[in-house]
Amino acid sequence: MEARLFQPEDLLQLRPQNSQLLDIPEDKRLEYGWQLTEGSAFTIWDETPEGVRPIFCGGAHRRHAHYAMLWGLFSIYRPKVPAHLTRSTRKFVSRLRERRVEAQASADNAAACGWVRLIGLTEEARLRGAMPDGTDMVIFVKKGMD
């Protein structure tokens, strides 16, 4: 595995897990990719059945000086998140200095909600019907925020 700075085109090569297909629609990936460069982001590359491809793209999208939104897309080729990626991401999150650091996940995706907790966030709120498929969205914030 190799970590590289995120490039918008990385989203075109990543094959998202089925649970994330609606998060960033395929025809909008490059456009979203350019927006997500407003902050810190990285891509993890590894060998897949299709050759070396991104298995994870993620980072902190800075909405303004005091607010960062975490984002991440996982490859179908890594249904289980490697432990060192979780540790690295937890360290990345711990170093963010914005007053508000948040992430969003589908309440129906127990694996995503569990991973967000593992990287250092805690549940703040639940928005009924806010996900693209009409399910509930869970808002998480970095632990220890005032």
Side-chain angles (χ1 to χ4, degrees), residues 115-132:
W115 192 74
V116 172
R117 288 181 180 95
L118 283 174
I119 64 169
L121 283 78
T122 187
E123 186 173 332
E124 178 184 56
R126 185 176 292 244
L127 305 178
R128 303 275 178 232
M131 293 302 293

Side-chain angles (χ1 to χ4, degrees), residues 68-87:
M69 176 156 318
L70 299 176
W71 65 277
L73 284 179
F74 293 88
S75 167
I76 60 171
Y77 298 118
R78 291 297 181 279
K80 185 173 179 183
V81 179
H84 73 280
L85 176 56
T86 299
R87 285 190 303 273

Side-chain angles (χ1 to χ4, degrees), residues 1-2 4 44-56 75-78 82:
M1 282 190 217
E2 179 185 359
R4 300 180 196 167
I44 304 295
W45 294 77
D46 200 9
E47 192 63 43
T48 74
E50 298 177 0
V52 176
R53 295 190 59 145
I55 60 160
F56 174 79
S75 167
I76 60 171
Y77 298 118
R78 291 297 181 279

Side-chain angles (χ1 to χ4, degrees), residues 29-50:
R29 285 193 195 145
L30 193 57
E31 178 184 334
Y32 274 59
W34 281 107
Q35 293 172 19
L36 294 170
T37 60
E38 298 293 322
S40 301
F42 58 98
T43 301
I44 304 295
W45 294 77
D46 200 9
E47 192 63 43
T48 74
E50 298 177 0

